Amino acid sequence: MGRKKLEIKRIEDNSARMVCFSKRRSGLIKKAKELSVLCDVDLAAIIFSNRGKLFQYSSTDSIAPVLQRYQDQAASSSGFSEAKKEIEAAISQTRSAKTQKMIDTVSSLREEEKSLAEEKRSLEEITGKNRNARGKKMILDLNVAADDQMTE
């Protein structure tokens, strides 16, 4: 015969809720004892009833050393997360600085490109005028030569 599947929701009947709490608390503490013995671990369980009554179990003589170890572990873990946040912030700042430097470099290269293109146009104008001037000079020289030959 199997057990009836229990729907997990608040038990409305007060006496049934108290019986369930008592049985489950006992089962939880039994499992905690088994875990500490079988796996050789330090374990602490703290349970407060809805009326505020404290129930506790510790695999050691006192619950205080287990709680202290927990607090020390939590504090060192938060220290790591703080260091991780600082490192991430430094990486982000470095990436931003490098990105800005690259943007500035690209901008200055574009300005230099424009300047070189303008200089090229100027030089092409000058060389174009020189070519035209040479052609005119040759024509003038030929005309002069032709005139000289006619006068002879």
Side-chain angles (χ1 to χ4, degrees), residues 2 6-7 17-18 27-28 31 57 59 63 73 81 94 107 122 148 151:
L6 180 66
E7 184 180 347
R17 186 171 54 247
M18 295 306 280
L28 180 64
K31 291 290 183 183
Y57 168 77
S59 61
I63 201 168
Q73 189 89 17
S81 64
T94 302
S107 177
S122 297
D148 288 344
T151 53

Side-chain angles (χ1 to χ4, degrees), residues 98-111:
K98 283 188 172 189
T99 301
Q100 186 60 46
K101 188 173 182 179
M102 289 173 64
I103 290 170
D104 293 344
T105 302
V106 168
S107 177
S108 68
L109 287 173
R110 285 184 178 153
E111 288 176 17

Side-chain angles (χ1 to χ4, degrees), residues 71-83:
Q71 288 176 338
D72 293 345
Q73 189 89 17
S76 67
S77 294
S78 68
F80 288 130
S81 64
E82 289 297 320

Side-chain angles (χ1 to χ4, degrees), residues 88-141:
E88 288 173 351
I91 288 171
S92 177
Q93 187 177 13
T94 302
R95 285 182 179 155
S96 295
K98 283 188 172 189
T99 301
Q100 186 60 46
K101 188 173 182 179
M102 289 173 64
I103 290 170
D104 293 344
T105 302
V106 168
S107 177
S108 68
L109 287 173
R110 285 184 178 153
E111 288 176 17
E112 187 176 349
E113 180 184 28
K114 288 178 185 177
S115 173
L116 289 173
E118 186 64 36
E119 187 177 343
K120 180 183 175 187
R121 276 188 233 111
S122 297
L123 289 174
E124 285 174 346
E125 269 183 33
I126 292 170
T127 57
K129 287 180 181 177
N130 285 344
R131 285 185 190 144
N132 289 339
R134 280 189 204 147
K136 289 179 182 177
K137 186 176 181 183
M138 291 173 94
I139 293 172
L140 287 174
D141 288 345

Side-chain angles (χ1 to χ4, degrees), residues 58-74:
S58 176
S59 61
T60 60
D61 293 338
S62 172
I63 201 168
V66 178
L67 292 177
Q68 186 62 46
R69 282 182 55 196
Y70 170 75
Q71 288 176 338
D72 293 345
Q73 189 89 17

